[in-house]
Structure formats: C-alpha cells, structure tokens
Amino acid sequence: MKTVLCIGGLLAVAGVFAQDHEGLKKHPQPKVAATNAPVTQAEARATFIKAETVLRGALGMPASSPHVSIPDSDKPVGRDAVVAEMVRFIAVFKPKVKMTPSPVTFDARRLQMNGPQRSNLALLVRKGAVAPVGPLATSKENTLTVPQFGDAIGFLMARIAQMTHLPSSKWTPYLRPEGEG
C-alpha cells in the first residue's frame, strides 16, 4: 500500500510540473552583452558605487556618496584602476572590521602587475580580498572581462563580509567545542 501511495504521490507531483502554464506572464529576456568584451570604466564605476552603497546599508554605516576615482567613460578599465579602487574600498569599511583572518600565503613572483599598484595588489592578495591566481593578479592582459571583473568584486565583497561579522558558535560548526553537533 505504501508503494502505491508513493508512486501515486510522484505521479501527482509530476502532473503538477507538466501542466501548461499559459496563464503565466512571460517576461522578455534582456540581451546580455558579450562577456568576452572588457569592462568599461563606467561599468566598473557603477559597480563599485552600488557595492559600496549596499555594504554601507548592510553594515549600518551612514549613507555617503562614494568617492570612486574611476572615470565615467566607455574606455576599458585597467587592472591598476581596479586595484586602486579595491584598496579604497577596504579602507572605507576598515572601521567595521571585527576580525582579521590569517594572511594568505602566495608566490609574489606570479603577480603580473608592475608599477605603483603592484604593492597594493600584493596587500589585497595577502588580505584574501583578491584571488592569488585569479585574472586580476596573474593575467598578462591589462583589462578584465565581465565574468573576471564580477569574480574579483565578489571575492572582495565576500572577504569584507567575513571580516566585518564575528562568527557565532551557534551557527558555525567548526567553532563548537569538540563533541557537539
């Protein structure tokens, strides 16, 4: 009897998913720009402004217009400008830092950036805000594609979120005493 009920339940669920959804409103899919094109300065600027606004709200910081140094232009953004902005970004949220994770060890010879931003890039990698073997650190190209830029910003925001929130032993299993749940 249980088998019949189980099979009947599966058929009912399958029937729900197989129903025609003619009554549902169809939303047009927006066109996505080519992802292998370099990110423009305007796109990078808008992303940093939005990210800072969102993080300020999440961390209870006063609203402020971000002072992004990247110009509003259709020219491709260079990796050095992205690194400089990331350093500024970290400085903005420094007052909210509650924990400092252990420094990330990496081979500095792999960094493919020369000039004044190389030391800042090394600092960001050591802080864990930039992937040590990601395109921002190791690419020989001076520009980033949309997915590469998105990964770099996501990596940065994840690290800031980690540094600005103390983990709780209630929700973090590796902080619980041995033998507990």
Side-chain angles (χ1 to χ4, degrees):
M1 185 67 176
K2 287 182 183 177
T3 305
V4 172
L5 287 176
C6 185
I7 292 172
L10 288 174
L11 290 174
V13 169
V16 169
F17 287 115
Q19 289 180 0
D20 187 20
H21 296 287
E22 287 180 24
L24 294 178
K25 197 182 237 186
K26 301 250 183 202
H27 295 284
Q29 292 295 322
K31 286 192 173 188
V32 177
T35 58
N36 59 353
V39 172
T40 66
Q41 292 175 345
E43 292 168 334
R45 178 183 176 79
T47 302
F48 277 111
I49 289 171
K50 183 67 175 178
E52 184 174 333
T53 303
V54 167
L55 279 175
R56 279 181 174 277
L59 295 174
M61 294 176 74
S64 170
S65 66
H67 301 289
V68 179
S69 61
I70 299 173
D72 192 5
S73 162
D74 287 337
K75 294 179 183 175
V77 68
R79 288 182 12 214
D80 54 340
V82 172
V83 168
E85 196 56 40
M86 286 179 155
V87 170
R88 184 199 68 81
F89 207 77
I90 294 264
V92 165
F93 297 105
K94 189 173 184 175
K96 290 292 187 173
V97 169
K98 295 181 180 174
M99 64 170 275
T100 304
S102 300
V104 174
T105 57
F106 67 101
D107 183 2
R109 295 174 297 179
R110 297 190 78 161
L111 298 181
Q112 294 294 319
M113 183 178 283
N114 294 319
Q117 292 302 325
R118 182 181 174 87
S119 61
N120 282 337
L121 177 60
L123 173 73
L124 289 169
V125 171
R126 205 171 9 268
K127 285 183 176 270
V130 169
V133 291
L136 188 59
T138 61
S139 175
K140 293 185 184 200
E141 298 292 323
N142 188 39
T143 59
L144 297 168
T145 64
V146 172
Q148 291 170 340
F149 182 73
D151 283 349
I153 296 298
F155 212 89
L156 172 70
M157 289 184 69
R159 189 53 135 187
I160 290 173
Q162 184 182 24
M163 293 187 316
T164 56
H165 292 83
L166 285 176
S168 163
S169 60
K170 180 177 180 181
W171 305 108
T172 312
Y174 69 86
L175 292 178
R176 293 182 189 151
E178 213 169 300
E180 284 188 26

